[in-house]
């Protein structure tokens, strides 16, 4: 937390988008709380609270690439929200990343530049891991 502006990032260190979002937060001078959700897992209250804060449904944050989503039958449009949440609790990797929480809101930060809307100050021009330049927008 820097200057009373608490930021939490639900992070996957193996994900380039998540690493870029974290680096942007840190470049802006913040020391966020980093939750490696694949290791610690999710609780139902935390996951449903994040979804409510984002105004999202479980399907909105369901990751299919590199996960067991298809094998579990979760990509079928008839699968209930509760079934998706239960699967996310059992398989944390099913939740897309990174999800960032700040006093300015909660959102799935894909692309990583979406995190800038959640900060009260932003870094100067930032070079992402793939070499792409993100220009200061404020």
């Amino acid at each position: 937390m820097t200057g009373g502006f608490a930021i939490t990032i639900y992070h996957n260190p193996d994900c380039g988008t998540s690493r870029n979002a974290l680096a942007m937060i840190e470049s802006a001078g913040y020391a966020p709380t980093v939750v490696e959700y694949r290791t610690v897992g999710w609780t139902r209250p935390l996951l449903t609270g994040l979804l409510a804060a984002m105004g999202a449904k479980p399907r909105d944050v369901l990751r299919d690439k590199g996960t067991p989503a298809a094998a579990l039958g979760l990509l079928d449009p008839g699968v209930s929200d509760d079934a998706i949440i239960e699967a996310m609790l059992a398989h944390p990797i099913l939740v897309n990343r990174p999800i960032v929480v700040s006093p300015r809101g909660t959102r799935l930060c894909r692309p990583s530049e979406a995190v800038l809307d959640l900060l009260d100050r932003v870094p100067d021009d930032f070079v992402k891991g793939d070499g792409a330049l993100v220009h200061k927008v404020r």
Side-chain angles (χ1 to χ4, degrees):
M1 177 164 59
T2 302
F5 199 86
I7 299 172
T8 300
I9 180 170
Y10 294 89
H11 177 61
N12 176 347
D14 294 333
C15 171
T17 301
S18 196
R19 288 191 309 270
N20 283 327
L22 177 58
M24 285 182 209
I25 293 166
E26 291 172 338
S27 292
Y30 297 100
T33 298
V34 178
V35 179
E36 291 190 20
Y37 66 90
R38 292 178 314 160
T39 303
V40 300
W42 299 104
T43 64
R44 180 177 288 275
L46 174 59
L47 194 52
T48 58
L50 290 170
L51 290 167
M54 290 187 287
K57 297 282 189 193
R59 187 172 302 282
D60 298 332
V61 299
L62 176 64
R63 182 166 177 87
D64 60 345
K65 181 180 174 190
T67 75
L72 294 170
L74 300 174
L75 304 182
D76 182 312
V79 175
S80 71
D81 288 350
D82 192 57
I84 293 172
I85 288 175
E86 284 299 318
M88 289 172 166
L89 295 174
H91 306 277
I93 193 69
L94 290 169
V95 179
N96 214 338
R97 71 279 181 166
I99 294 175
V100 178
V101 179
S102 88
R104 294 185 68 160
T106 301
R107 76 180 332 174
L108 173 62
C109 292
R110 299 189 74 79
S112 55
E113 301 87 288
V115 75
L116 299 176
D117 292 337
L118 298 176
L119 307 178
D120 68 349
R121 64 178 179 272
V122 297
D124 291 326
D125 289 349
F126 179 86
V127 179
K128 292 174 28 173
D130 65 1
L133 179 65
V134 177
H135 296 287
K136 186 172 183 173
V137 294
R138 287 188 249 142

